[in-house]
Structure formats: structure tokens, C-alpha cells
Amino acid sequence: MAVTDEAIEKIKGMIVSGALRPGDRLPKESELAAELGLSRNSLREAVRALSLIRILDVRQGDGTYVTSLDPQLLLEALSFVVDFHRDDTVLEFLAVRRILEPAATAMAASRISEQQLKALSAQLDRLGDDPSVEELVASDLDFHRGIVQSSGNSVLCSLLDGLSGPTTRARIWRGLTQEDAVSRTLHEHRMILAALRDRDAEAARSWATVHIASVEQWLRASL
């Protein structure tokens, strides 16, 4: 494993230094192994590991390339890791979301377009006043994703997308066990949207905090 780690670090060093750039094709395996002073087997294992976390793209019959290194692509690995959370750590994920999402919502207040505001409003109208829990959770994910995308920060958007797994489960549990969860969620969404429409960043931040904290508070009492 130590030899594979060394190989990973050497390839990483080539990318960080600019010797390999996004979209570049890696030299042939035998050439690269000789250049880096590695065995072909350890190089192969390193390439396999880096392809799993979307640093490298192995194309059968064509070669191995450095990916675009786009933050959204690289942070996909976060979703994979998050799926292995334990139920007792879901509060920690919610706590991180409570830090990041209100900030993104506040950023969106000055950047969101009228067209995006109309789309969010239409989405809430389509949902109606009495959606199923499944419909509400799906809409909730789309609603917040649309707002975070409007913040203009792709890294923040990818991070929050990656944190949605365990928090989705929490919202489902809440919807199944708390009588006013649906109406409260719909009300909070409307208030967030109103703050965005008013271009009031602090109100948008506050309502987003209330929205996430209510789920967190309920879950803390339930565990």
C-alpha cells in the first residue's frame, strides 16, 4: 500500500506542478513508470485509485487522461463517502449544512435572476398545499439546489449536493412522524422565496437557518 501511495503522490505532484494539465493524456505506462521510478504494477494501482475519485479518466483502448478537475466532478466522491454515514452522525451533516446553506442563500439574494425566481415560485405552486412526503422531499431538494446554484459558487453547490443524502433521510422521517412538518416546510420555503424576491440577504439567511434548524431540532429530540 505504501508503494501505491508513493505512486499516487508522484502523479499528484505532476498535476499540481502543471506538468500534467486538465485534459492531458498520460504518457504510456512503461514510460511514465520509468520516469517516476515506479513499478508498472504500483503505477497501475495508483491510476485505478485516482480514477475512482475522478482525477484520472481511463479510456479503454485510448489511454488515461487527466479529467477537467472541475470542482463538481471532484466532489462527487463526497456523495459516495456520505452514503456510509452512521445514523448517529446525521446531526453532524445537518450542522455543516446549517453553516453552508444559509450563506449560499444569502449570496443568491443579490444574484438570482427574475427567471429563476419565477421558476422557484412555479415549482412551489405545482407542489400544492398537500403533497406526499416523497413529493415534498423531492421538491425540497430541487428548491434548495436551485437557490444554491444561483449563488454562483459551484464548489458550494457541489458540497451541499454531497451532503443531501443523510439529511434527505432525516426529512423523510420528520415528514412521517411530525404532523405539521409539511405545512411548516411549505411556509418556510415561501418565506425564503419572499426574502430572495426582496433581495434581502439577511432575511434569506435567517429563514434558511430556521428551515434547517427545525429539522435538526426535531431529529435531536428523536434520536
Side-chain angles (χ1 to χ4, degrees):
M1 189 62 189
V3 177
T4 302
D5 287 345
E6 180 187 359
I8 289 171
E9 284 300 315
K10 287 187 174 182
I11 296 173
K12 174 185 172 184
M14 292 181 72
I15 295 171
V16 171
S17 69
L20 286 173
R21 298 181 179 279
D24 281 356
R25 181 178 177 174
L26 269 65
K28 290 181 180 179
E29 184 181 274
S30 57
E31 295 174 4
L32 186 59
E35 179 183 343
L36 297 178
L38 301 167
S39 70
R40 293 177 68 170
N41 185 58
S42 62
L43 177 61
R44 202 172 295 130
E45 289 299 320
V47 167
R48 185 177 293 116
L50 290 170
S51 68
L52 286 174
I53 58 173
R54 313 303 292 274
I55 301 293
L56 298 178
D57 179 19
V58 180
R59 304 176 190 174
Q60 199 67 34
D62 185 16
T64 299
Y65 292 79
V66 180
T67 67
S68 66
L69 302 180
D70 183 80
Q72 189 168 359
L73 180 68
L74 299 181
L75 286 168
E76 284 180 8
L78 176 63
S79 298
F80 182 80
V81 172
V82 165
D83 284 341
F84 289 95
H85 82 287
R86 303 186 312 274
D87 288 347
D88 61 347
T89 62
V90 69
L91 279 169
E92 295 181 11
F93 286 106
L94 275 168
V96 174
R97 185 173 164 231
R98 180 161 48 85
I99 294 168
L100 297 178
E101 192 161 306
T105 305
M107 289 168 64
S110 62
R111 302 181 183 185
I112 193 167
S113 68
E114 289 299 324
Q115 185 177 358
Q116 289 169 317
L117 286 169
K118 288 178 181 177
L120 290 173
S121 181
Q123 178 188 330
L124 294 182
D125 290 342
R126 285 194 303 271
L127 190 62
D129 296 327
D130 191 27
S132 68
V133 172
E134 291 76 14
E135 290 171 334
L136 180 66
V137 170
S139 176
D140 187 57
L141 285 168
D142 287 342
F143 181 79
H144 292 291
R145 183 179 292 116
I147 292 172
V148 174
Q149 286 174 343
S150 300
S151 74
N153 189 312
S154 62
V155 175
L156 195 52
C157 189
S158 298
L159 279 171
L160 286 166
D161 257 356
L163 291 170
S164 292
T167 57
T168 298
R169 289 182 63 187
R171 286 197 297 272
I172 290 174
W173 298 337
R174 181 180 180 224
L176 291 173
T177 59
Q178 190 173 357
E179 287 184 8
D180 65 343
V182 172
S183 60
R184 282 182 61 181
T185 298
L186 293 173
H187 172 67
E188 289 161 2
H189 281 183
R190 290 289 182 189
M191 297 308 296
I192 291 170
L193 182 57
L196 291 174
R197 193 178 287 118
D198 291 340
R199 308 292 177 179
D200 189 333
E202 289 311 308
R205 186 196 305 273
S206 297
W207 276 109
T209 302
V210 166
H211 181 56
I212 300 164
S214 64
V215 179
E216 193 178 356
Q217 184 179 35
W218 167 83
L219 186 60
R220 183 174 284 108
S222 302
L223 289 177

